[in-house]
């Protein structure tokens, strides 16, 4: 069986480095090139930490796809580029697996229509850690019985978007089962702007950004005389790689866009 030919975008980043390691140590995968924000014309092996990996670096994704036969793009770059990178992948018949966050619901609807028009599989997963998917599912179960809920997500201070894609996805899943309600006292006021966090259909999301953190989330439910806390911690970025590998395997077998790893681990 021929190997799955993969391009990683963002190879020097925290997530991209782990993805390069995962792809180059998986027998059925082959890293054919990388797309970086700089180092055009160099080889990945010219950069520190990648000494044995002799693949070309491109800064132009379109040219990368024109010059290499590519099955799957793994995109781990920045919120400003994820959508455009997916469109370039679709135009070249390449299946995107995207961990980059910051997509709106409209982006996802638009990209799904493009994937289906071309008959190309695509996966966007705001969180590739299996434990985080379970946290979201358990939260959805709990919200049916305990509809008062607040989300606290904590990430490293280099993260560009807030709230996190995982927090938004958790809130969306909860809103599918939760009775509509505006939480807190009807007359509550904020003495400092933002003190009560972001409002998602009446529930609150709080974003903490500090050095030393990786990716953490608590979903806190309050009921009469009780609270329930569901918590997940990614303490190392290697926690995301089994999910990325599963997504690469799955994207080859679908012809639409799937948003969220929970739809492929069932
Ligand atoms: P990071 O350490 O800042 O790495 C991003 C890398 O992408 C940097 O090397 C950056 O280069 C490069 N880059 C930026 N724009 C690019 C472009 N247009 N083309 C090619 N490369 C580009 O960030 P990270 O922590 O790895 O996270 C990357 C993305 O994944 C973020 O959106 C983050 O929220 C998301 N994330 C997802 C998961 C998940 O499970 N789905 C988990 C963690 C993080 P420069 O530094 O030169 O700009």
């Amino acid at each position: 069986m021929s190997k799955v030919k993969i391009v990683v975008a963002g190879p020097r980043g925290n997530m991209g480095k782990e993805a390069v390691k995962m792809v180059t140590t998986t027998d059925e995968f082959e890293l054919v090139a990388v797309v970086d924000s700089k180092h055009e014309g160099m080889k990945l092996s010219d950069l520190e930490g990648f000494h044995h990996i002799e693949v070309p670096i491109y800064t132009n994704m379109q040219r990368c796809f024109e010059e290499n036969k590519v099955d799957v793009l793994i995109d781990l770059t920045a919120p400003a580029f994820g959508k455009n990178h997916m469109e370039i992948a679709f135009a070249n018949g390449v299946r995107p697996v995207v961990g980059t966050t910051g997509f709106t619901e409209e982006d996802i609807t638009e990209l799904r229509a493009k994937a289906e028009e071309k008959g190309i599989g695509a996966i966007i997963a705001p969180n590739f850690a299996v434990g985080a998917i379970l946290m979201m599912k358990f939260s959805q179960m709990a919200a049916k019985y305990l509809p008062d809920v607040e989300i606290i997500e904590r990430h490293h201070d280099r993260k560009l978007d807030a709230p996190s894609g995982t927090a938004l996805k958790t809130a969306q899943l909860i809103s599918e089962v939760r009775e509509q309600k505006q939480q807190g006292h009807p007359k509550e006021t904020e003495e400092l702007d933002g003190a009560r966090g972001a409002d998602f259909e009446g529930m609150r999301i709080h974003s903490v950004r500090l050095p030393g953190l990786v990716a953490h989330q608590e979903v806190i439910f309050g009921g009469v005389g009780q609270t329930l806390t569901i918590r997940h911690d990614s303490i190392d970025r290697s926690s995301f790689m089994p999910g990325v590998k599963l997504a690469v395997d799955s994207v080859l077998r679908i012809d639409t866009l799937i948003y969220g790893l929970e739809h492929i681990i069932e």
Side-chain angles (χ1 to χ4, degrees), residues 46-257:
D46 298 331
L47 307 186
E48 207 181 318
F50 299 103
H51 296 305
H52 54 294
I53 308 172
E54 298 279 330
V55 299
I57 302 175
Y58 292 84
T59 52
N60 183 321
M61 187 174 279
Q62 174 61 31
R63 203 156 70 74
C64 172
F65 293 153
E66 282 167 9
E67 294 183 5
N68 298 275
K69 170 158 179 4
V70 182
D71 299 311
V72 175
L73 163 71
I74 299 177
D75 195 276
L76 297 160
T77 56
F81 304 104
K83 187 169 177 232
N84 179 244
H85 287 175
M86 287 187 74
E87 283 166 348
I88 299 171
F90 289 152
N92 288 276
V94 174
R95 293 164 184 261
V97 165
V98 180
T100 304
T101 47
F103 289 87
T104 63
E105 278 186 57
E106 293 78 53
D107 290 338
I108 289 159
T109 306
E110 198 185 307
L111 288 162
R112 183 172 291 123
K114 284 188 182 154
E116 289 179 358
E117 186 190 308
K118 293 253 175 198
I120 290 178
I123 294 174
I124 302 175
N127 200 317
F128 280 113
V130 172
I133 305 307
L134 294 173
M135 168 194 63
M136 289 189 250
K137 281 183 179 276
F138 296 157
S139 299
Q140 195 185 38
M141 282 169 70
K144 225 169 162 175
Y145 305 98
L146 296 167
D148 286 272
V149 50
E150 304 221 355
I151 299 172
I152 305 175
E153 55 97 342
R154 302 180 174 86
H155 281 82
H156 57 92
D157 60 352
R158 283 179 40 91
K159 184 165 178 58
L160 294 172
D161 51 326
S164 71
T166 305
L168 272 176
K169 179 81 192 177
T170 309
Q172 282 160 6
L173 288 171
I174 288 175
S175 72
E176 285 171 18
V177 298
R178 171 184 180 267
E179 67 190 47
Q180 281 288 325
K181 68 182 298 185
Q182 188 66 36
Q183 290 174 203
H185 197 288
K187 291 190 181 154
E188 81 180 6
T189 56
E190 285 186 332
E191 304 306 322
L192 273 180
D193 278 354
R196 290 287 292 120
D199 186 330
F200 185 101
E201 296 184 10
M203 61 186 127
R204 299 289 173 162
I205 306 179
H206 311 267
S207 298
V208 178
R209 297 290 176 264
L210 285 172
L213 294 170
V214 179
H216 318 258
Q217 181 168 295
E218 267 175 58
V219 187
I220 308 171
F221 297 88
V224 180
Q226 60 182 325
T227 65
L228 168 68
T229 303
I230 300 171
R231 175 178 173 134
H232 176 262
D233 297 271
S234 273
I235 50 177
D236 188 283
R237 286 174 182 82
S238 57
S239 63
F240 301 112
M241 292 307 128
V244 177
K245 181 174 181 305
L246 177 67
V248 171
D249 290 333
S250 306
V251 82
L252 298 168
R253 296 193 296 271
I254 56 173
D255 53 10
T256 182
L257 184 154

